[in-house]
mmCIF file of all heavy atoms in Angstrom:
data_model
loop_
_atom_site.group_PDB
_atom_site.id
_atom_site.type_symbol
_atom_site.label_atom_id
_atom_site.label_comp_id
_atom_site.label_asym_id
_atom_site.label_seq_id
_atom_site.Cartn_x
_atom_site.Cartn_y
_atom_site.Cartn_z
ATOM 1 N N SER A 1499 11.479 47.613 -9.463
ATOM 2 C CA SER A 1499 10.649 48.634 -10.095
ATOM 3 C C SER A 1499 9.524 49.087 -9.165
ATOM 4 O O SER A 1499 9.185 50.263 -9.113
ATOM 5 C CB SER A 1499 10.058 48.104 -11.403
ATOM 6 O OG SER A 1499 11.081 47.793 -12.328
ATOM 7 N N PHE A 1500 8.960 48.144 -8.421
ATOM 8 C CA PHE A 1500 7.918 48.517 -7.470
ATOM 9 C C PHE A 1500 8.478 49.398 -6.354
ATOM 10 O O PHE A 1500 7.828 50.337 -5.903
ATOM 11 C CB PHE A 1500 7.259 47.272 -6.879
ATOM 12 C CG PHE A 1500 6.240 46.647 -7.791
ATOM 13 C CD1 PHE A 1500 6.532 45.506 -8.509
ATOM 14 C CD2 PHE A 1500 4.981 47.206 -7.926
ATOM 15 C CE1 PHE A 1500 5.585 44.926 -9.353
ATOM 16 C CE2 PHE A 1500 4.032 46.643 -8.765
ATOM 17 C CZ PHE A 1500 4.332 45.495 -9.480
ATOM 18 N N THR A 1501 9.681 49.088 -5.910
ATOM 19 C CA THR A 1501 10.320 49.926 -4.890
ATOM 20 C C THR A 1501 10.553 51.336 -5.420
ATOM 21 O O THR A 1501 10.359 52.331 -4.707
ATOM 22 C CB THR A 1501 11.661 49.305 -4.451
ATOM 23 O OG1 THR A 1501 11.421 48.002 -3.901
ATOM 24 C CG2 THR A 1501 12.340 50.169 -3.398
ATOM 25 N N GLU A 1502 10.938 51.440 -6.696
ATOM 26 C CA GLU A 1502 11.154 52.759 -7.305
ATOM 27 C C GLU A 1502 9.851 53.544 -7.382
ATOM 28 O O GLU A 1502 9.833 54.756 -7.158
ATOM 29 C CB GLU A 1502 11.758 52.569 -8.696
ATOM 30 C CG GLU A 1502 12.379 53.817 -9.295
ATOM 31 C CD GLU A 1502 11.391 54.644 -10.093
ATOM 32 O OE1 GLU A 1502 10.401 54.075 -10.580
ATOM 33 O OE2 GLU A 1502 11.600 55.866 -10.216
ATOM 34 N N ILE A 1503 8.732 52.866 -7.683
ATOM 35 C CA ILE A 1503 7.438 53.544 -7.695
ATOM 36 C C ILE A 1503 7.100 54.066 -6.300
ATOM 37 O O ILE A 1503 6.673 55.214 -6.128
ATOM 38 C CB ILE A 1503 6.336 52.588 -8.196
ATOM 39 C CG1 ILE A 1503 6.444 52.421 -9.713
ATOM 40 C CG2 ILE A 1503 4.943 53.111 -7.824
ATOM 41 C CD1 ILE A 1503 5.385 51.513 -10.307
ATOM 42 N N GLU A 1504 7.298 53.230 -5.284
ATOM 43 C CA GLU A 1504 6.961 53.626 -3.913
ATOM 44 C C GLU A 1504 7.806 54.794 -3.436
ATOM 45 O O GLU A 1504 7.311 55.700 -2.755
ATOM 46 C CB GLU A 1504 7.135 52.428 -2.983
ATOM 47 C CG GLU A 1504 6.742 52.725 -1.536
ATOM 48 C CD GLU A 1504 6.857 51.506 -0.646
ATOM 49 O OE1 GLU A 1504 7.165 50.408 -1.161
ATOM 50 O OE2 GLU A 1504 6.629 51.650 0.566
ATOM 51 N N GLN A 1505 9.077 54.820 -3.817
ATOM 52 C CA GLN A 1505 9.986 55.851 -3.314
ATOM 53 C C GLN A 1505 9.928 57.148 -4.113
ATOM 54 O O GLN A 1505 10.123 58.231 -3.548
ATOM 55 C CB GLN A 1505 11.417 55.321 -3.304
ATOM 56 C CG GLN A 1505 11.641 54.188 -2.310
ATOM 57 C CD GLN A 1505 13.050 53.645 -2.359
ATOM 58 O OE1 GLN A 1505 13.821 53.931 -3.284
ATOM 59 N NE2 GLN A 1505 13.415 52.851 -1.362
ATOM 60 N N ASN A 1506 9.657 57.059 -5.431
ATOM 61 C CA ASN A 1506 9.802 58.240 -6.275
ATOM 62 C C ASN A 1506 8.562 58.642 -7.059
ATOM 63 O O ASN A 1506 8.441 59.809 -7.436
ATOM 64 C CB ASN A 1506 10.952 58.015 -7.278
ATOM 65 C CG ASN A 1506 12.268 57.716 -6.594
ATOM 66 O OD1 ASN A 1506 12.632 58.373 -5.630
ATOM 67 N ND2 ASN A 1506 12.982 56.709 -7.083
ATOM 68 N N ARG A 1507 7.656 57.710 -7.324
ATOM 69 C CA ARG A 1507 6.563 58.027 -8.240
ATOM 70 C C ARG A 1507 5.178 57.965 -7.619
ATOM 71 O O ARG A 1507 4.245 58.556 -8.138
ATOM 72 C CB ARG A 1507 6.588 57.082 -9.434
ATOM 73 C CG ARG A 1507 7.830 57.215 -10.282
ATOM 74 C CD ARG A 1507 7.648 56.520 -11.595
ATOM 75 N NE ARG A 1507 8.789 56.669 -12.471
ATOM 76 C CZ ARG A 1507 8.772 56.406 -13.767
ATOM 77 N NH1 ARG A 1507 7.664 55.995 -14.330
ATOM 78 N NH2 ARG A 1507 9.852 56.569 -14.494
ATOM 79 N N GLY A 1508 5.035 57.188 -6.571
ATOM 80 C CA GLY A 1508 3.702 57.009 -6.010
ATOM 81 C C GLY A 1508 3.764 56.604 -4.554
ATOM 82 O O GLY A 1508 4.643 57.022 -3.809
ATOM 83 N N GLU A 1509 2.832 55.733 -4.169
ATOM 84 C CA GLU A 1509 2.763 55.324 -2.777
ATOM 85 C C GLU A 1509 2.185 53.917 -2.677
ATOM 86 O O GLU A 1509 1.421 53.481 -3.539
ATOM 87 C CB GLU A 1509 1.875 56.296 -1.981
ATOM 88 C CG GLU A 1509 0.445 56.387 -2.510
ATOM 89 C CD GLU A 1509 -0.424 57.318 -1.710
ATOM 90 O OE1 GLU A 1509 -0.133 57.508 -0.518
ATOM 91 O OE2 GLU A 1509 -1.406 57.842 -2.266
ATOM 92 N N LEU A 1510 2.575 53.229 -1.609
ATOM 93 C CA LEU A 1510 1.991 51.940 -1.278
ATOM 94 C C LEU A 1510 0.720 52.207 -0.487
ATOM 95 O O LEU A 1510 0.761 52.810 0.589
ATOM 96 C CB LEU A 1510 2.975 51.110 -0.457
ATOM 97 C CG LEU A 1510 2.475 49.763 0.062
ATOM 98 C CD1 LEU A 1510 2.194 48.811 -1.087
ATOM 99 C CD2 LEU A 1510 3.481 49.151 1.030
ATOM 100 N N VAL A 1511 -0.433 51.788 -1.016
ATOM 101 C CA VAL A 1511 -1.705 52.112 -0.368
ATOM 102 C C VAL A 1511 -2.319 50.925 0.367
ATOM 103 O O VAL A 1511 -3.209 51.097 1.208
ATOM 104 C CB VAL A 1511 -2.721 52.664 -1.388
ATOM 105 C CG1 VAL A 1511 -2.251 54.006 -1.928
ATOM 106 C CG2 VAL A 1511 -2.963 51.680 -2.532
ATOM 107 N N TRP A 1512 -1.871 49.694 0.051
ATOM 108 C CA TRP A 1512 -2.413 48.512 0.736
ATOM 109 C C TRP A 1512 -1.474 47.344 0.515
ATOM 110 O O TRP A 1512 -0.858 47.223 -0.543
ATOM 111 C CB TRP A 1512 -3.796 48.174 0.170
ATOM 112 C CG TRP A 1512 -4.469 47.016 0.848
ATOM 113 C CD1 TRP A 1512 -5.287 47.056 1.933
ATOM 114 C CD2 TRP A 1512 -4.352 45.623 0.492
ATOM 115 N NE1 TRP A 1512 -5.691 45.789 2.275
ATOM 116 C CE2 TRP A 1512 -5.139 44.882 1.412
ATOM 117 C CE3 TRP A 1512 -3.667 44.947 -0.516
ATOM 118 C CZ2 TRP A 1512 -5.253 43.505 1.346
ATOM 119 C CZ3 TRP A 1512 -3.768 43.568 -0.573
ATOM 120 C CH2 TRP A 1512 -4.561 42.859 0.349
ATOM 121 N N GLN A 1513 -1.373 46.499 1.534
ATOM 122 C CA GLN A 1513 -0.670 45.242 1.368
ATOM 123 C C GLN A 1513 -1.299 44.204 2.281
ATOM 124 O O GLN A 1513 -1.846 44.528 3.333
ATOM 125 C CB GLN A 1513 0.825 45.373 1.641
ATOM 126 C CG GLN A 1513 1.191 45.776 3.047
ATOM 127 C CD GLN A 1513 2.703 45.845 3.234
ATOM 128 O OE1 GLN A 1513 3.455 45.150 2.540
ATOM 129 N NE2 GLN A 1513 3.155 46.670 4.146
ATOM 130 N N GLY A 1514 -1.241 42.964 1.860
ATOM 131 C CA GLY A 1514 -1.849 41.896 2.638
ATOM 132 C C GLY A 1514 -1.772 40.593 1.875
ATOM 133 O O GLY A 1514 -0.972 40.432 0.952
ATOM 134 N N SER A 1515 -2.601 39.648 2.271
ATOM 135 C CA SER A 1515 -2.591 38.333 1.642
ATOM 136 C C SER A 1515 -4.003 37.952 1.217
ATOM 137 O O SER A 1515 -4.994 38.510 1.706
ATOM 138 C CB SER A 1515 -2.013 37.280 2.592
ATOM 139 O OG SER A 1515 -2.785 37.213 3.784
ATOM 140 N N LEU A 1516 -4.092 36.994 0.294
ATOM 141 C CA LEU A 1516 -5.358 36.537 -0.247
ATOM 142 C C LEU A 1516 -5.351 35.016 -0.300
ATOM 143 O O LEU A 1516 -4.456 34.419 -0.899
ATOM 144 C CB LEU A 1516 -5.568 37.108 -1.659
ATOM 145 C CG LEU A 1516 -6.832 36.673 -2.407
ATOM 146 C CD1 LEU A 1516 -8.074 37.262 -1.753
ATOM 147 C CD2 LEU A 1516 -6.750 37.097 -3.867
ATOM 148 N N ALA A 1517 -6.333 34.391 0.360
ATOM 149 C CA ALA A 1517 -6.470 32.934 0.287
ATOM 150 C C ALA A 1517 -6.978 32.561 -1.098
ATOM 151 O O ALA A 1517 -7.936 33.156 -1.600
ATOM 152 C CB ALA A 1517 -7.429 32.438 1.369
ATOM 153 N N LEU A 1518 -6.341 31.581 -1.707
ATOM 154 C CA LEU A 1518 -6.623 31.225 -3.095
ATOM 155 C C LEU A 1518 -7.421 29.934 -3.205
ATOM 156 O O LEU A 1518 -7.253 29.019 -2.396
ATOM 157 C CB LEU A 1518 -5.303 31.069 -3.869
ATOM 158 C CG LEU A 1518 -4.391 32.296 -3.887
ATOM 159 C CD1 LEU A 1518 -3.037 31.928 -4.469
ATOM 160 C CD2 LEU A 1518 -5.025 33.433 -4.672
ATOM 161 N N GLU A 1519 -8.264 29.875 -4.219
ATOM 162 C CA GLU A 1519 -8.958 28.641 -4.551
ATOM 163 C C GLU A 1519 -7.928 27.616 -5.035
ATOM 164 O O GLU A 1519 -6.923 27.975 -5.649
ATOM 165 C CB GLU A 1519 -9.999 28.888 -5.647
ATOM 166 C CG GLU A 1519 -11.079 29.883 -5.272
ATOM 167 C CD GLU A 1519 -12.071 29.309 -4.280
ATOM 168 O OE1 GLU A 1519 -12.167 28.069 -4.192
ATOM 169 O OE2 GLU A 1519 -12.744 30.099 -3.595
ATOM 170 N N GLN A 1520 -8.181 26.328 -4.748
ATOM 171 C CA GLN A 1520 -7.190 25.312 -5.119
ATOM 172 C C GLN A 1520 -7.833 24.087 -5.749
ATOM 173 O O GLN A 1520 -8.857 23.603 -5.270
ATOM 174 C CB GLN A 1520 -6.405 24.857 -3.884
ATOM 175 C CG GLN A 1520 -5.418 25.874 -3.355
ATOM 176 C CD GLN A 1520 -4.478 25.238 -2.349
ATOM 177 O OE1 GLN A 1520 -3.547 24.516 -2.703
ATOM 178 N NE2 GLN A 1520 -4.744 25.490 -1.081
ATOM 179 N N GLN A 1521 -7.237 23.625 -6.847
ATOM 180 C CA GLN A 1521 -7.488 22.316 -7.437
ATOM 181 C C GLN A 1521 -6.128 21.818 -7.919
ATOM 182 O O GLN A 1521 -5.466 22.506 -8.691
ATOM 183 C CB GLN A 1521 -8.466 22.398 -8.608
ATOM 184 C CG GLN A 1521 -9.876 22.785 -8.214
ATOM 185 C CD GLN A 1521 -10.816 22.720 -9.407
ATOM 186 O OE1 GLN A 1521 -10.694 21.856 -10.267
ATOM 187 N NE2 GLN A 1521 -11.746 23.644 -9.464
ATOM 188 N N LEU A 1522 -5.730 20.656 -7.475
ATOM 189 C CA LEU A 1522 -4.378 20.171 -7.732
ATOM 190 C C LEU A 1522 -4.051 20.222 -9.222
ATOM 191 O O LEU A 1522 -4.763 19.649 -10.056
ATOM 192 C CB LEU A 1522 -4.220 18.742 -7.208
ATOM 193 C CG LEU A 1522 -2.812 18.143 -7.318
ATOM 194 C CD1 LEU A 1522 -1.821 18.947 -6.500
ATOM 195 C CD2 LEU A 1522 -2.825 16.683 -6.862
ATOM 196 N N ASN A 1523 -2.965 20.947 -9.540
ATOM 197 C CA ASN A 1523 -2.403 21.056 -10.894
ATOM 198 C C ASN A 1523 -3.328 21.743 -11.897
ATOM 199 O O ASN A 1523 -3.061 21.707 -13.098
ATOM 200 C CB ASN A 1523 -1.999 19.670 -11.431
ATOM 201 C CG ASN A 1523 -0.859 19.056 -10.641
ATOM 202 O OD1 ASN A 1523 0.024 19.760 -10.169
ATOM 203 N ND2 ASN A 1523 -0.891 17.748 -10.468
ATOM 204 N N ARG A 1524 -4.391 22.354 -11.431
ATOM 205 C CA ARG A 1524 -5.286 23.081 -12.330
ATOM 206 C C ARG A 1524 -5.265 24.566 -11.992
ATOM 207 O O ARG A 1524 -5.162 24.950 -10.825
ATOM 208 C CB ARG A 1524 -6.729 22.565 -12.221
ATOM 209 C CG ARG A 1524 -6.906 21.156 -12.745
ATOM 210 C CD ARG A 1524 -8.334 20.689 -12.488
ATOM 211 N NE ARG A 1524 -8.551 19.346 -13.032
ATOM 212 C CZ ARG A 1524 -9.136 19.112 -14.190
ATOM 213 N NH1 ARG A 1524 -9.573 20.127 -14.933
ATOM 214 N NH2 ARG A 1524 -9.296 17.879 -14.619
ATOM 215 N N GLU A 1525 -5.379 25.396 -13.018
ATOM 216 C CA GLU A 1525 -5.469 26.829 -12.782
ATOM 217 C C GLU A 1525 -6.833 27.174 -12.193
ATOM 218 O O GLU A 1525 -7.869 26.703 -12.679
ATOM 219 C CB GLU A 1525 -5.254 27.607 -14.079
ATOM 220 C CG GLU A 1525 -3.815 27.621 -14.549
ATOM 221 C CD GLU A 1525 -3.568 28.625 -15.662
ATOM 222 O OE1 GLU A 1525 -4.555 29.021 -16.318
ATOM 223 O OE2 GLU A 1525 -2.405 29.018 -15.871
ATOM 224 N N THR A 1526 -6.831 27.979 -11.139
ATOM 225 C CA THR A 1526 -8.059 28.451 -10.525
ATOM 226 C C THR A 1526 -8.040 29.972 -10.492
ATOM 227 O O THR A 1526 -6.973 30.600 -10.581
ATOM 228 C CB THR A 1526 -8.231 27.905 -9.101
ATOM 229 O OG1 THR A 1526 -7.111 28.325 -8.294
ATOM 230 C CG2 THR A 1526 -8.300 26.388 -9.102
ATOM 231 N N VAL A 1527 -9.204 30.579 -10.364
ATOM 232 C CA VAL A 1527 -9.328 32.033 -10.364
ATOM 233 C C VAL A 1527 -9.961 32.482 -9.052
ATOM 234 O O VAL A 1527 -11.019 31.977 -8.658
ATOM 235 C CB VAL A 1527 -10.177 32.526 -11.552
ATOM 236 C CG1 VAL A 1527 -10.293 34.046 -11.521
ATOM 237 C CG2 VAL A 1527 -9.567 32.066 -12.870
ATOM 238 N N THR A 1528 -9.299 33.424 -8.372
ATOM 239 C CA THR A 1528 -9.803 34.009 -7.136
ATOM 240 C C THR A 1528 -9.886 35.515 -7.330
ATOM 241 O O THR A 1528 -8.950 36.132 -7.840
ATOM 242 C CB THR A 1528 -8.871 33.692 -5.953
ATOM 243 O OG1 THR A 1528 -8.646 32.279 -5.887
ATOM 244 C CG2 THR A 1528 -9.477 34.173 -4.640
ATOM 245 N N GLY A 1529 -10.985 36.121 -6.943
ATOM 246 C CA GLY A 1529 -11.153 37.557 -7.106
ATOM 247 C C GLY A 1529 -10.518 38.351 -5.977
ATOM 248 O O GLY A 1529 -10.762 38.072 -4.801
ATOM 249 N N PHE A 1530 -9.686 39.326 -6.328
ATOM 250 C CA PHE A 1530 -9.137 40.253 -5.331
ATOM 251 C C PHE A 1530 -10.119 41.404 -5.157
ATOM 252 O O PHE A 1530 -10.395 42.135 -6.108
ATOM 253 C CB PHE A 1530 -7.780 40.790 -5.784
ATOM 254 C CG PHE A 1530 -7.275 41.941 -4.943
ATOM 255 C CD1 PHE A 1530 -6.865 41.736 -3.643
ATOM 256 C CD2 PHE A 1530 -7.245 43.233 -5.461
ATOM 257 C CE1 PHE A 1530 -6.419 42.793 -2.866
ATOM 258 C CE2 PHE A 1530 -6.791 44.289 -4.693
ATOM 259 C CZ PHE A 1530 -6.379 44.071 -3.397
ATOM 260 N N PRO A 1531 -10.689 41.598 -3.957
ATOM 261 C CA PRO A 1531 -11.727 42.613 -3.746
ATOM 262 C C PRO A 1531 -11.147 44.026 -3.667
ATOM 263 O O PRO A 1531 -10.671 44.457 -2.620
ATOM 264 C CB PRO A 1531 -12.367 42.193 -2.425
ATOM 265 C CG PRO A 1531 -11.269 41.474 -1.685
ATOM 266 C CD PRO A 1531 -10.403 40.825 -2.732
ATOM 267 N N VAL A 1532 -11.207 44.730 -4.762
ATOM 268 C CA VAL A 1532 -10.641 46.080 -4.815
ATOM 269 C C VAL A 1532 -11.364 47.017 -3.846
ATOM 270 O O VAL A 1532 -10.747 47.856 -3.186
ATOM 271 C CB VAL A 1532 -10.725 46.635 -6.249
ATOM 272 C CG1 VAL A 1532 -10.226 48.077 -6.305
ATOM 273 C CG2 VAL A 1532 -9.914 45.766 -7.197
ATOM 274 N N ASP A 1533 -12.692 46.875 -3.721
ATOM 275 C CA ASP A 1533 -13.455 47.784 -2.869
ATOM 276 C C ASP A 1533 -13.045 47.676 -1.401
ATOM 277 O O ASP A 1533 -13.065 48.671 -0.675
ATOM 278 C CB ASP A 1533 -14.949 47.501 -3.012
ATOM 279 C CG ASP A 1533 -15.461 47.811 -4.409
ATOM 280 O OD1 ASP A 1533 -14.926 48.755 -5.020
ATOM 281 O OD2 ASP A 1533 -16.367 47.118 -4.884
ATOM 282 N N GLU A 1534 -12.685 46.488 -0.956
ATOM 283 C CA GLU A 1534 -12.257 46.329 0.431
ATOM 284 C C GLU A 1534 -10.863 46.906 0.651
ATOM 285 O O GLU A 1534 -10.579 47.482 1.702
ATOM 286 C CB GLU A 1534 -12.275 44.852 0.820
ATOM 287 C CG GLU A 1534 -13.675 44.235 0.827
ATOM 288 C CD GLU A 1534 -13.653 42.777 1.226
ATOM 289 O OE1 GLU A 1534 -12.633 42.325 1.798
ATOM 290 O OE2 GLU A 1534 -14.654 42.083 0.963
#
Side-chain angles (χ1 to χ4, degrees):
S1499 298
F1500 281 103
T1501 300
E1502 196 271 335
I1503 285 181
E1504 183 177 356
Q1505 294 178 347
N1506 302 315
R1507 296 194 177 195
E1509 59 179 334
L1510 176 65
V1511 294
W1512 183 90
Q1513 63 178 333
S1515 59
L1516 177 69
L1518 302 170
E1519 299 287 339
Q1520 288 193 76
Q1521 293 185 36
L1522 184 62
N1523 294 326
R1524 292 175 178 261
E1525 287 192 340
T1526 59
V1527 180
T1528 307
F1530 169 70
V1532 176
D1533 295 327
E1534 295 180 17

